[in-house]
Amino acid sequence: MPAYGFEAYKGEDGVAYLRQNPRQVNVIREIVNRLLAEDTPETPAEIADELNSRKEPTPRGTRPSKRITDSGREYKWTAAGIRKMLKSEALLGWKMESRPVLGKKYYESVPVIDKTGKKIRMAEPIFTDEEWERLQAHLSERSFLVSSPTNATPFLDVILCGYCKGKMRMHVSRRETKNGRKEYPKFRCVSPRLVGGRTRYGCEDQVSWDPGRLLVALEHRFLEEFGDTEAEERIYVVGEDHETRMREIEQFVPVIMADMEPGRRYGTALMRPRAEKMLDKLNAEYEALSKAPTGDRWEYRSLGKTWRQHWKTARLPELEKLMRKNGVQFLCYPESFELFIPERLKV
């Protein structure tokens, strides 16, 4: 079976070949663009949720097994599935094979090597070498084991260290006292740095804050400035190519106008108004298509509430996600805070 992003076809010589599947390539490109967005990149989990919400077929869902179909179940996009797909060199058009992993019970997909020691390319690559290296570097930076934290950090991607712009995590110190165990929670900068050949966490300026004071300050500063502003959600829109339809209209119009000459199809008093209506409709459609955006883009959709209303009704994970997607950052210094808001929200 061809890898996701490719499809088999039969050439004029009767031999089967591989080529890119335009729809699937667009989905792959969309995922990568959202992962590598410079302002507010999304996580694989967030992208998977959005793809599932719009019923985008998964790599397995494009060719479901009879057992799955009969059971009524559906394949779902997952963060792990997206990472696995983007790490596969099949996206570069190489011929792949499955090999057992030594000492394991599973297989891995690797490129086939010919007798000369070179990989065999079966189709045009979806990514250039530079794009592939950047993507793999991004995925490698975020390859780590995640354990369930006992101290969940609120607003993890919103509250940042003002000096190094690194994340601030909730750290809880526990001490045994005569009256029992006491906890001392603090928000701390956790940016890694090398000290004497060993890794230490926290930048040199080592910012730390009491959680209660920090969260109250975030709420007060943000709502004071933007509480009455309408809250919006940023969504990724896959662009459409209107050139084909515009070329069709350009070809239709001269034909219709020629048919309006006396003795032709629309050359009578009865048929001419019908032709004029057709021309008006085609002209309006052409004008609309010429002004419509074509490339992939981010758009903002109103949530029908102000930020203050949303703050009171939304759950914390939803509020965190919305603020992060809007590019909101709350920078912490030893004696002060700084609220960073993108220019778009300031309008």
Side-chain angles (χ1 to χ4, degrees), residues 63-252:
R63 42 181 184 272
S65 67
K66 185 177 184 302
R67 178 174 58 84
I68 294 295
T69 303
D70 292 343
S71 68
R73 290 184 292 163
E74 295 181 350
Y75 291 104
K76 297 288 187 180
W77 289 91
T78 64
I82 287 177
R83 292 178 62 84
K84 181 178 180 180
M85 177 184 71
L86 296 182
K87 281 180 169 290
S88 173
E89 291 188 64
L91 298 180
L92 297 180
W94 300 123
K95 184 177 182 179
M96 307 293 287
E97 65 178 350
S98 295
R99 294 180 182 175
V101 179
L102 186 63
K104 304 293 183 180
K105 294 183 179 180
Y106 57 84
Y107 289 73
E108 63 179 350
S109 183
V110 296
V112 175
I113 306 298
D114 63 16
K115 294 180 179 179
T116 64
K118 296 182 179 180
K119 300 176 183 178
I120 303 172
R121 177 152 279 160
M122 303 295 291
E124 287 297 314
I126 295 176
F127 300 105
T128 64
D129 291 342
E130 292 77 10
E131 291 172 334
W132 180 255
E133 290 177 2
R134 183 187 175 202
L135 173 60
Q136 298 311 304
H138 176 86
L139 295 173
S140 297
E141 289 175 358
R142 287 153 178 80
S143 296
F144 50 84
L145 295 175
V146 179
S147 58
S148 179
T150 56
N151 307 312
T153 302
F155 298 102
L156 180 61
D157 294 301
V158 176
I159 299 176
L160 305 176
C161 172
Y163 293 104
C164 67
K165 305 302 184 289
K167 294 182 179 181
M168 300 276 287
R169 288 188 180 273
M170 177 86 80
H171 176 79
V172 180
S173 299
R174 297 176 175 85
R175 294 180 183 176
E176 296 293 340
T177 67
K178 295 180 180 180
N179 299 321
R181 176 180 292 185
K182 285 192 175 183
E183 295 186 345
Y184 302 89
K186 287 284 186 181
F187 267 89
R188 288 183 178 177
C189 170
V190 292
S191 295
R193 59 191 176 97
L194 284 177
V195 179
R198 301 184 65 180
T199 302
R200 293 286 184 268
Y201 292 92
C203 65
E204 294 181 359
D205 296 283
Q206 197 55 262
V207 179
S208 64
W209 277 95
D210 173 73
R213 183 181 176 189
L214 180 57
L215 295 176
V216 168
L218 169 62
E219 179 179 2
H220 175 74
R221 291 284 295 276
F222 183 77
L223 295 184
E224 182 181 40
E225 192 166 351
F226 296 98
D228 298 324
T229 303
E230 188 174 34
E232 295 179 323
E233 178 183 24
R234 195 178 77 153
I235 58 175
Y236 190 89
V237 179
V238 179
E240 298 180 6
D241 184 5
H242 305 301
E243 291 185 4
T244 301
R245 177 56 181 164
M246 292 175 69
R247 284 197 298 268
E248 289 178 352
I249 295 175
E250 291 171 355
Q251 294 171 359
F252 290 159

